[in-house]
Structures are given as C-alpha cells and as structure tokens.
Amino acid sequence: TWNPMVKSALLLSTLFAILLGGGAVYYSFTNFDIGQAYWRTWCALSGAEPDFSDDPWDAKVLVILMTVVQLFFFAFQLSLVEQAVANKVAELNSGRTKVFEVGHEVILGWNPAVPMVLKQLAVANRTNRESQTVVILADKDKKEMDRIVRAQVGDHGKYLRVMCRSGDPSDV
C-alpha cells in the first residue's frame, strides 16, 4: 500500500500535467491568448464552468473530456479520504493506540479475575459517587476484552470507564 501523502502528490502532479497539456491543446484550438486558455482549462478541470458557447467545437469536446477527467480526479480524491478514515478506524479498533488519560488505573495482563475486579471497582465508585477510568493492557484481542467486560461487568455509566488495549504488558 502506498502512503496517502505520496498518492496526494501524484494526484496533484498529474492534475498539473493535465492542466499544462490541456491548456496547450485548448490554446491551439481557440484564438484566446495563452493565459486565458490556461484559465479556461483550469475552470473546466475545477468545475467552475465559464461560458464555453463561443468556443469552436473541437475546444468544446476538449472541455467535455476535461470535465470527465475532473470527475475521475474527484472520485480518486474521495477514495483517498475514505481510505484514510478507514485506516484510522481500523487502528482505533485494533486497540493499539495510545491512551491519553490522567489519573487512571492500569491493569496489566488478563485473567478470569479481571471482570470481578472491575465489578468491585464499579460498586466502590458508585458508593463513593466517584468516576474512574481503568485501562487494561493485555496480550488479548481488544474486541474480545470489550465483549467480556460488557457481558460480565455491564455498563456502569459515569462511575467506571474501561478502556481495553492490545499489546504486550511486559513492554510498557
């Protein structure tokens, strides 16, 4: 897979090359000066549609082709954004992101007693009307830990917030 920055740079450089090439062809088809030819080419590529009705037919066909190119570039640009969002969501779901919390408790590792400890913390927090964040770092799948915590501990609302992370607890 390619780096999204490389893809964006390729996209922009290709767009620039098409702008230069299309502007030169548009200039040869019309009697506009070179600056106006490039401006009208940019308008066709960016979607800002000036009045092309005075252009000769070959220039109109070129504008239609550039509009189709513009649609492909927009679709490709959207796919880059979609891929970046999907990668970030996958990273968050993997449970390998950093925890930006202050004053939280950490449980290193996983065993069958962890849900019972969380239940006791939740009851203590509810009794004291305190809120607490617990981060579990274990060599276990994040989704599996989330499922077990939800099934055995349940939702304790504002009194206990549990964050599960996958990773090696001995490599903190």
Side-chain angles (χ1 to χ4, degrees):
T1 62
W2 289 29
N3 182 334
M5 294 301 290
V6 171
K7 289 181 183 178
S8 297
L10 284 173
L11 181 70
L12 287 175
S13 61
T14 305
L15 183 64
F16 186 69
I18 290 173
L19 176 65
L20 289 177
V25 172
Y26 190 84
Y27 175 71
S28 69
F29 287 167
T30 63
N31 58 356
F32 295 121
D33 64 47
I34 191 77
Q36 192 173 11
Y38 279 117
W39 174 250
R40 291 172 74 88
T41 302
W42 170 249
C43 288
L45 285 173
S46 67
E49 307 269 333
D51 183 18
F52 292 106
S53 61
D54 296 337
D55 293 358
W57 278 104
D58 46 1
K60 288 178 184 176
V61 170
L62 180 65
V63 167
I64 291 170
L65 289 175
M66 286 189 289
T67 302
V68 170
V69 167
Q70 174 228 9
L71 292 174
F72 281 110
F73 272 100
F74 183 70
F76 187 69
Q77 189 176 19
L78 282 179
S79 73
L80 288 177
V81 171
E82 184 272 334
Q83 184 180 14
V85 169
N87 289 345
K88 191 62 175 176
V89 168
E91 179 187 353
L92 291 173
N93 285 336
S94 73
R96 297 198 179 273
T97 56
K98 290 184 178 183
V99 174
F100 296 99
E101 289 287 327
V102 175
H104 60 282
E105 305 299 325
V106 178
I107 298 176
L108 296 175
W110 181 272
N111 64 44
V114 169
M116 184 176 60
V117 170
L118 293 174
K119 283 182 190 177
Q120 291 173 353
L121 285 172
V123 169
N125 289 339
R126 194 172 343 164
T127 303
N128 297 332
R129 290 195 164 97
E130 293 178 358
S131 178
Q132 183 179 24
T133 300
V134 176
V135 177
I136 303 171
L137 175 62
D139 208 5
K140 191 173 181 74
D141 182 52
K142 175 195 183 316
K143 290 182 181 180
E144 180 68 15
M145 289 188 287
D146 284 338
R147 187 190 63 75
I148 293 170
V149 167
R150 199 171 26 257
Q152 293 186 13
V153 179
D155 181 27
H156 293 284
K158 63 182 179 179
Y159 297 111
L160 183 66
R161 189 171 136 217
V162 179
M163 300 171 69
C164 298
R165 294 292 185 260
S166 294
D168 184 7
S170 64
D171 187 27
V172 176

